[in-house]
Amino acid sequence: MATMESLIGLVNRIQKACTVLGDYGGGDNSFSSLWEALPSVAVVGGQSSGKSSVLESIVGRDFLPRGSGIVTRRPLVLQLHKTEDGSQEYAEFLHLPKRRFSDFAVVRKEIQDETDRITGKSKQISPVPIHLSIYSPNVVNLTLIDLPGLTKVAVEGQPESIVQDIETMPNCIILAISPANQDIATSDAIKLAREVDPSGERTFGVLTKLDLMDKGTNALDVLEGRSYRLQHPWVGIVNRSQADINKNVDMIVARRKEREYFATSPDYGHLSNKMGSEYLAKLLSKHLESAIRARIPSITSLINKTIDELESEMEHLGRPIAVDAGAQLYTILELCRAFDKVFKEHLDGGRPGGDRIYGVFDNQLPAALRKLPFDRHLSLQNVKRVVSEADGYQPHLIAPEQGYRRLIESSLNYFRGPAEASADAVHFVLKELVRKSIAETQELRRFPSLQAELAAAANEALERFREDSKKTVLRLVDMESSYLTVDFFRRLPQEMDNKGGNPATPATPANPAIDRYTEMHFRRIGSNVSSYVGMVSETLRNTIPKAVVHCQVKEAKHSLLNYFYTQIGKKEGKQFSQLLDEDPALMERRLQCVKRLELYKAARDEVDSVSWAR
């Protein structure tokens, strides 16, 4: 069974961790607030409501700053820890963890100085809380959050939104303090409580200054719930008078006087066992313990859910960048490998895009070959012209070999265009795959400079591969021009014989039908060259893709970043940092995630350390 001390102590420890790591409610809505999920008692009251006196009475010490206007300008998280009878009282601040204060006048000064440190000497209000722990045998285990005093008109130096800022209440128990010598209907604290807790389930009403009411009047209508009804009973308080404060009347003496006042009061005597600051402290402590016990399941659920969300986001954001140059180089190489893996997946079919290379060979190259102007180049008129020019001043005797060679070589020159175009088309596909792979490499998204450097290096390598590929495919075309396939022409006479012709028979006056200068003769030359060029076209249609894949695709797959690796090895540590320059907003987000994850894991450990009653 968890004790009251362990339950309230649990919340105290988690609240401290929240403050250290910047979670004190409101502000950044991009994270779940653990602070707002923790049950606590928020003390609210208008100016001159006696709020400070109530807190001091509960503590039994005079320790709060006093003055005109809003004195409390930062929330004060007041954690009370009951110690053994006879032990020395002392206080500790979270911002001064190794220092104990036994002089509570010094505590008051430190609260004022720490407030000014954040807000300056103006009346500016800050949401950043001050944590004060008090260890004393004269207190109960209780945590109170003293909020800035309520004002309806922002005073000089305060933001115009001060009213809204103060009235934005966390999900907590509300201790609404109102003076008895003012109309309860106009109480700032009750008005705020009504807005944030209209059912009154979370509000405890405290009525101060009962001893200052006009003679013949009392506050029984309020205390007995007739004027303004709450789910919890009202508690009356009699604080020290200003004269007592000026005389530094001991708080323990003041508590005794308060008990005597209620015990002897003709108006409140029947309620005396449920009045006074001591009863209020015990009532709040018991209720806070019950609220914590009821909220533990939802707090645990919030903690576990948020840890999962933060770990998922941390995985998405990536690890922080190391400062060491060697570690930075390792990170860069890991990122390059991640990119290279995605790029290869595109080529090998694991991701879309690689099939476009096959489309170049299966569609674009054949279409380009079909569009070559061989019909015009091998027209009767052009064949006659080329053959005649090749013969020169002495016409050919049997077969126009020089004419054949000129026609074939000039025809084969047309293949250079589709060959180079194939290399260009594959280059553009590879370049696009590089762009897509960089964009799809999750780990690279954090580093725009490295992305740019990697893209430039990859594109430079692809350019070199394209140049090599163009040289290779043009060499294939040149090879076809350099040595013609003789067997193709040797088969032609036999083919003609089989068709009834005899081109080997010399022309004579008796056989004018096969005169080498007839139109039929030139048509046959054009047909023979066309057949030969068609054979070469089929050959190149098969060999150009092989050369392009070998020179570009395989090289890109196996050595795309080789030159980049060589260059990166020559860089210095400062240059590594420049490559790994993350977006500042992303770095800040990761830092906040790390802090929140640390907070929630610490909170989970705290919750797990307490044995809950079932």
Side-chain angles (χ1 to χ4, degrees):
M1 175 105 177
T3 64
M4 182 185 300
E5 180 180 359
S6 65
L7 287 169
I8 295 178
L10 166 71
V11 171
N12 288 348
R13 292 190 297 275
I14 296 177
Q15 280 181 332
K16 286 181 179 179
C18 285
T19 298
V20 169
L21 295 173
D23 176 13
Y24 32 79
D28 187 0
N29 294 323
S30 61
F31 291 105
S32 299
S33 174
L34 182 55
W35 173 280
E36 292 181 356
L38 298 173
S40 58
V41 180
V43 186
V44 296
Q47 291 171 277
S48 303
S49 64
K51 180 163 65 80
S52 295
S53 295
V54 170
L55 291 171
E56 289 180 332
S57 185
I58 289 174
V59 173
R61 280 288 186 172
D62 191 350
F63 68 98
L64 289 172
R66 295 181 182 275
S68 60
I70 294 184
V71 179
T72 306
R73 289 180 285 121
R74 288 176 61 184
L76 176 66
V77 180
L78 181 61
Q79 299 181 343
L80 307 181
H81 306 265
K82 185 172 181 59
T83 58
E84 295 180 1
D85 290 343
S87 60
Q88 184 182 7
E89 293 178 294
Y90 65 92
E92 290 180 344
F93 286 96
L94 182 62
H95 63 275
L96 298 171
K98 296 182 180 179
R99 185 175 170 187
R100 287 188 176 184
F101 295 78
S102 55
D103 185 346
F104 282 81
V106 179
V107 170
R108 181 190 301 114
K109 184 176 185 304
E110 181 59 33
I111 292 174
Q112 187 64 58
D113 291 346
E114 178 62 13
T115 298
D116 291 344
R117 187 179 67 82
I118 295 294
T119 65
K121 296 290 185 179
S122 69
K123 290 179 169 51
Q124 189 76 33
I125 287 179
S126 168
V128 182
I130 298 172
H131 274 259
L132 173 62
S133 295
I134 294 178
Y135 300 81
S136 169
N138 302 316
V139 300
V140 297
N141 291 302
L142 180 62
T143 299
L144 301 164
I145 303 177
D146 181 18
L147 295 177
L150 301 175
T151 63
K152 292 296 102 181
V153 179
V155 295
E156 184 180 356
Q158 297 174 356
E160 293 181 3
S161 61
I162 181 172
V163 175
Q164 179 183 347
D165 292 342
I166 295 174
E167 293 183 353
T168 301
M169 290 294 296
N171 183 23
C172 61
I173 301 162
I174 303 162
L175 188 63
I177 298 176
S178 305
N181 57 353
Q182 293 180 14
D183 185 357
I184 196 69
T186 62
S187 165
D188 293 332
I190 291 300
K191 180 177 181 296
L192 183 148
R194 187 185 293 120
E195 290 177 6
V196 299
D197 180 31
S199 65
E201 294 178 0
R202 297 187 289 118
T203 302
F204 284 80
V206 175
L207 211 56
T208 63
K209 304 185 180 183
L210 292 169
D211 54 329
L212 300 182
M213 296 184 70
D214 294 337
K215 257 187 180 180
T217 62
N218 60 51
L220 285 176
D221 282 349
V222 176
L223 292 175
E224 293 178 346
R226 291 188 291 274
S227 293
Y228 185 79
R229 189 167 188 81
L230 297 172
Q231 298 291 331
H232 305 285
W234 283 81
V235 178
I237 297 289
V238 174
N239 297 322
R240 291 181 300 168
S241 65
Q242 189 60 49
D244 290 338
I245 293 172
N246 294 338
K247 294 176 185 176
N248 292 321
V249 172
D250 185 83
M251 292 299 302
I252 303 303
V253 174
R255 282 183 180 178
R256 188 178 68 246
K257 286 185 176 181
E258 183 185 43
R259 288 195 300 270
E260 291 172 357
Y261 173 86
F262 284 112
T264 60
S265 170
D267 292 323
Y268 310 118
H270 64 293
L271 298 174
S272 60
N273 63 332
K274 294 184 178 180
M275 294 288 129
S277 55
E278 290 177 291
Y279 172 76
L280 175 63
K282 292 174 183 177
L283 177 68
L284 291 174
S285 181
K286 183 178 179 181
H287 187 79
L288 179 60
E289 187 262 348
S290 299
I292 294 171
R293 190 183 301 279
R295 291 295 307 277
I296 284 298
S298 62
I299 291 172
T300 303
S301 175
L302 171 67
I303 289 172
N304 291 332
K305 175 175 175 287
T306 307
I307 286 175
D308 290 342
E309 290 173 350
L310 288 170
E311 287 180 338
S312 175
E313 183 167 1
M314 285 294 293
E315 185 177 344
H316 174 75
L317 293 173
R319 299 189 305 270
I321 301 305
V323 179
D324 175 67
Q328 290 180 340
L329 175 59
Y330 176 80
T331 299
I332 290 172
L333 295 178
E334 282 290 292
L335 293 168
C336 291
R337 279 189 279 271
F339 155 75
D340 200 43
K341 179 174 179 289
V342 174
F343 180 70
K344 287 176 180 176
E345 287 174 357
H346 276 293
L347 290 178
D348 293 336
R351 295 172 186 251
D355 56 309
R356 290 171 55 198
I357 295 174
Y358 175 70
V360 172
F361 304 140
D362 195 49
N363 298 313
Q364 295 182 37
L365 176 60
L369 293 175
R370 286 195 297 271
K371 290 179 181 177
L372 293 178
F374 294 129
D375 289 346
R376 175 168 51 81
H377 187 66
L378 297 177
S379 65
L380 180 62
Q381 181 180 0
N382 198 54
V383 170
K384 280 183 179 181
R385 181 184 63 78
V386 172
V387 171
S388 298
E389 289 177 355
D391 283 346
Y393 72 93
Q394 186 172 340
H396 59 272
L397 299 175
I398 300 176
E401 182 168 331
Q402 290 304 316
Y404 267 108
R405 288 188 180 277
R406 285 196 184 184
L407 283 170
I408 291 171
E409 288 173 4
S410 57
S411 296
L412 295 185
N413 265 336
Y414 285 113
F415 289 120
R416 298 173 72 88
E420 288 188 303
S422 296
D424 286 335
V426 170
H427 172 78
F428 289 123
V429 172
L430 292 172
K431 196 171 179 180
E432 175 63 15
L433 293 183
V434 164
R435 187 195 64 77
K436 288 181 66 176
S437 299
I438 289 175
E440 293 172 10
T441 304
Q442 188 71 36
E443 301 89 332
L444 270 176
R445 292 183 181 178
R446 299 160 52 188
F447 310 109
S449 294
L450 182 57
Q451 286 184 43
E453 191 90 3
L454 204 56
N459 289 335
E460 187 178 338
L462 291 179
E463 195 63 50
R464 291 196 305 273
F465 302 154
R466 172 164 70 169
E467 291 306 311
D468 289 343
S469 181
K470 282 188 174 183
K471 289 177 183 177
T472 301
V473 294
L474 291 179
R475 192 173 291 118
L476 288 176
V477 175
D478 292 342
M479 286 164 56
E480 293 293 340
S481 300
S482 299
Y483 188 80
L484 305 183
T485 305
V486 179
D487 284 348
F488 176 87
F489 294 98
R490 286 177 177 169
R491 288 196 302 270
L492 285 178
Q494 285 77 19
E495 292 174 3
M496 295 305 298
D497 284 340
N498 293 336
K499 294 176 183 178
N502 188 7
T505 305
T508 64
N511 191 14
I514 52 172
D515 183 352
R516 65 180 64 92
Y517 295 111
T518 64
E519 187 175 301
M520 181 65 69
H521 177 61
F522 287 113
R523 288 189 185 279
R524 187 175 299 118
I525 293 173
S527 176
N528 291 341
V529 171
S530 178
S531 297
Y532 184 81
V533 169
M535 180 192 72
V536 172
S537 179
E538 284 300 312
T539 301
L540 291 176
R541 179 176 175 177
N542 293 320
T543 55
I544 287 174
K546 296 177 189 295
V548 169
V549 168
H550 178 76
C551 295
Q552 289 176 263
V553 180
K554 289 187 74 68
E555 283 297 309
K557 188 175 178 181
H558 297 300
S559 58
L560 180 64
L561 298 179
N562 281 7
Y563 182 71
F564 178 73
Y565 291 145
T566 302
Q567 294 302 107
I568 205 73
K570 299 176 183 178
K571 292 183 182 290
E572 298 178 354
K574 184 179 179 182
Q575 292 171 304
F576 295 152
S577 299
Q578 292 171 347
L579 287 177
L580 297 175
D581 61 334
E582 290 185 277
D583 181 350
L586 188 147
M587 293 173 68
E588 177 62 24
R589 180 67 183 182
R590 185 193 299 107
L591 180 62
Q592 293 301 320
C593 283
V594 169
K595 286 183 177 181
R596 290 296 170 119
L597 191 56
E598 180 183 340
L599 165 64
Y600 279 87
K601 285 185 175 180
R604 182 176 61 186
D605 292 342
E606 292 287 0
V607 172
D608 290 344
S609 70
V610 179
S611 175
W612 308 113
R614 298 297 178 188

